[in-house]
Amino acid sequence: VGAPPDRPDGPAGVPEAEAHVDSSASILEAQLPYLIYGTAWKKSRTADLVSRALSAGFRFVDTACQPKHYDEKLVGEGWTSAARELGIRRDDLFLQTKFTAVRGQDPQTVPYDAGATLEEQVRQSVRVSLRNLQTDYIDSLVLHSPMKTMEETMTVWQVFEEFVASGEVVQLGISNCYDLRTFRALYDRSEVKPKVLQNRFYADSGFDVDLREFCAANGVTYQSFWTLSGNRRALGSAEWKEVAAGKGLTPQTLMYALVMTLGHTPLDGTTDAGHMEEDMELMRRMQAGERILDWGETERLSRMLGIPDR
């Protein structure tokens, strides 16, 4: 989902350029696998790491209007700096951010008026995100977690839909939603359907087998986080390492290969330049059509993780 062609390229100083072959729009249009650069817990290093990630080849970036865990303003500084250096434009990139309810914020750094109505909190948060990210539109706006009640969740969602109608947001999603009934209710009741479900991919949630099936059947992108840290035991096993070595991969890149082979999109929050390059090399190989894992290998690795059989 790229920006309409009449959109400005971005802030002053970001050059106009022809669309790149590796732009987010071309990746999505061709339905290729990809990794999203995750920016949680990067603090003062955020701008530099985002710039390094884009230089390595990332074109999708995830953040949140939640100063407790993210520095959204530095994400804006990072992508604009990289854009000037690399000659890429705003619609080569996919910027995803989140609205986080008051209960998920540090009381000292809530980025909107915590005393305002819920609707106004959402509107203020999205406006802050647009300013922080130095953009006039957000590719993907995500509700950080379901609200306390379904009615509150729908209240937030209806304000989200206002931003889609105005053209300031392209698509919507939700994170930390592990109950199929809740996600199905949101899907059924919404006018603008969720296009993203972002969840931890780990054993405690049963690897979201039912939710992932629903996503696949309804055109929803399943984004995984804690993809590595939530599966350390399996990745550290001798069997997993043996498979990785046989593929010329690290245990970590093998995990990303598995998740993308399953049809999902992992968040990748590495701060190591070498790991960024390794991860982008894997992504490019898969985008070029290389079959890293056959079906038997995919099933074997899934069993090693403990993903329930269907």
Side-chain angles (χ1 to χ4, degrees):
V1 180
D6 60 343
R7 288 196 186 277
D9 288 328
V14 175
E16 295 187 12
E18 294 300 319
H20 289 65
V21 175
D22 63 346
S23 71
S24 61
S26 64
I27 290 168
L28 292 171
E29 183 178 1
Q31 299 184 332
L32 299 174
Y34 60 92
L35 295 163
I36 303 177
Y37 190 64
T39 62
W41 310 300
K42 304 294 190 289
K43 299 185 178 180
S44 63
R45 300 182 65 196
T46 300
D48 179 61
L49 288 168
V50 168
S51 182
R52 288 173 182 266
L54 296 184
S55 295
F58 284 91
R59 291 296 178 265
F60 297 77
V61 179
D62 175 86
T63 186
C65 193
Q66 186 197 31
K68 180 179 180 180
H69 295 310
Y70 297 81
D71 196 321
E72 194 181 44
K73 189 172 188 294
L74 290 184
V75 172
E77 292 181 13
W79 88 256
T80 53
S81 172
R84 286 189 290 269
E85 180 179 338
L86 300 172
I88 60 178
R89 52 190 239 176
R90 168 65 182 90
D91 58 8
D92 286 325
L93 305 178
F94 183 100
L95 300 180
Q96 176 171 276
T97 193
K98 308 179 194 76
F99 165 73
T100 308
V102 171
R103 71 179 188 274
Q105 304 279 2
D106 181 334
Q108 303 303 313
T109 59
V110 181
Y112 49 78
D113 180 0
T117 64
L118 180 56
E119 294 92 334
E120 184 58 23
Q121 290 175 14
V122 178
R123 293 187 187 105
Q124 290 180 15
S125 179
V126 175
R127 293 185 191 116
V128 169
S129 291
L130 289 164
R131 287 197 303 272
N132 282 343
L133 294 173
Q134 302 186 45
T135 183
D136 66 346
Y137 71 101
I138 293 164
D139 294 282
S140 184
L141 177 62
V142 173
L143 175 57
H144 215 150
S145 62
M147 302 298 289
K148 289 183 179 179
T149 68
M150 194 66 212
E151 293 312 309
E152 284 189 346
T153 295
M154 293 311 302
T155 295
V156 171
W157 200 264
Q158 285 157 11
V159 179
F160 278 16
E161 291 176 335
E162 293 175 7
F163 284 98
V164 174
S166 71
E168 293 167 285
V169 168
V170 178
Q171 69 174 34
L172 304 178
I174 189 169
S175 183
N176 295 295
C177 181
Y178 299 95
D179 179 65
L180 178 58
R181 290 171 299 178
T182 299
F183 189 65
R184 187 188 294 273
L186 172 62
Y187 191 91
D188 290 344
R189 293 178 60 178
S190 57
E191 181 176 340
V192 178
K193 305 301 182 186
K195 287 293 185 182
V196 165
L197 174 62
Q198 184 188 109
N199 276 353
R200 292 179 180 87
F201 188 69
Y202 69 154
D204 287 4
S205 65
F207 292 96
D208 283 342
V209 171
D210 293 336
L211 278 162
R212 291 189 291 117
E213 282 190 357
F214 183 88
C215 288
N218 291 279
V220 178
T221 298
Y222 181 89
Q223 297 176 355
S224 68
F225 70 98
W226 276 25
T227 311
L228 303 181
S229 58
N231 297 284
R232 285 196 178 104
R233 179 174 297 179
L235 271 64
S237 69
E239 186 178 7
W240 190 279
K241 290 178 180 178
E242 180 183 359
V243 175
K247 297 286 182 181
L249 299 173
T250 66
Q252 293 76 21
T253 51
L254 178 63
M255 182 65 179
Y256 288 144
L258 172 63
V259 174
M260 288 190 281
T261 299
L262 291 171
H264 311 315
T265 301
L267 269 70
D268 179 344
T270 185
T271 60
D272 182 277
H275 293 163
M276 288 182 186
E277 296 292 344
E278 290 173 354
D279 299 345
M280 288 297 94
E281 175 61 24
L282 168 70
M283 186 186 77
R284 293 187 186 102
R285 287 169 61 186
M286 295 187 69
Q287 288 178 349
E290 182 177 348
R291 190 176 185 184
I292 304 290
L293 299 171
D294 63 28
W295 183 244
E297 292 166 331
T298 301
E299 286 195 322
R300 177 187 176 190
L301 292 173
S302 296
R303 286 195 298 271
M304 289 168 61
L305 286 176
I307 297 176
D309 293 329
R310 297 300 292 170

